Amino acid sequence: MLPVNVILPSDKEQTALTVHGKKRNIRRKDFMFLADSCGISEKVAGNLMESVLRRKEKLEQICRQSQLSEIQQEQVLTLMEERMKVLGQSQRK
């Protein structure tokens, strides 16, 4: 998912390529569909998403150490939080 939205807020697309036919409003189920179409089992795909979620603090630390301005760091962290919520959503939704 693209952090370009921080630099170009008018660009509403979340991905460079379509995921389940979409570039915006991507949800966990769309990633699961993508994984299935790539031959990745549901369990493995879920484990990969959980692995990303477990690394949230490390990703935040990397962002804080980056050369981005403080404002851009906050924007990236906000975007990351929103996107991690999507990955953590239950498949029932």
Side-chain angles (χ1 to χ4, degrees):
M1 299 183 86
L2 302 174
V4 72
N5 303 110
V6 170
I7 309 243
L8 301 169
S10 61
D11 185 355
K12 300 300 179 195
E13 293 181 351
Q14 294 176 318
T15 64
L17 302 172
T18 60
V19 175
H20 200 189
K22 303 179 346 182
K23 284 189 168 189
R24 297 183 334 177
N25 201 23
I26 307 294
R27 299 286 174 232
R28 183 182 176 100
K29 67 179 180 166
D30 299 311
F31 285 112
M32 296 305 283
F33 179 87
L34 175 64
D36 182 58
S37 67
C38 292
I40 299 170
S41 74
E42 184 176 334
K43 182 175 181 171
V44 170
N47 287 343
L48 288 169
M49 286 187 247
E50 292 304 317
S51 177
V52 170
L53 294 172
R54 283 192 304 272
R55 289 173 173 77
K56 180 181 175 187
E57 288 182 24
K58 181 64 176 175
L59 294 169
E60 289 174 352
Q61 180 184 10
I62 291 168
C63 181
R64 294 277 183 215
Q65 294 172 347
S66 72
Q67 298 296 315
L68 295 173
S69 69
E70 285 186 40
I71 291 171
Q72 288 176 323
Q73 286 178 14
E74 291 303 321
Q75 290 171 329
V76 168
L77 291 170
T78 298
L79 186 62
M80 186 175 71
E81 181 70 31
E82 291 170 5
R83 304 245 168 110
M84 285 195 162
K85 283 180 186 176
V86 168
L87 289 181
Q89 289 175 343
S90 164
Q91 287 186 17
R92 294 183 299 188
K93 291 185 178 182

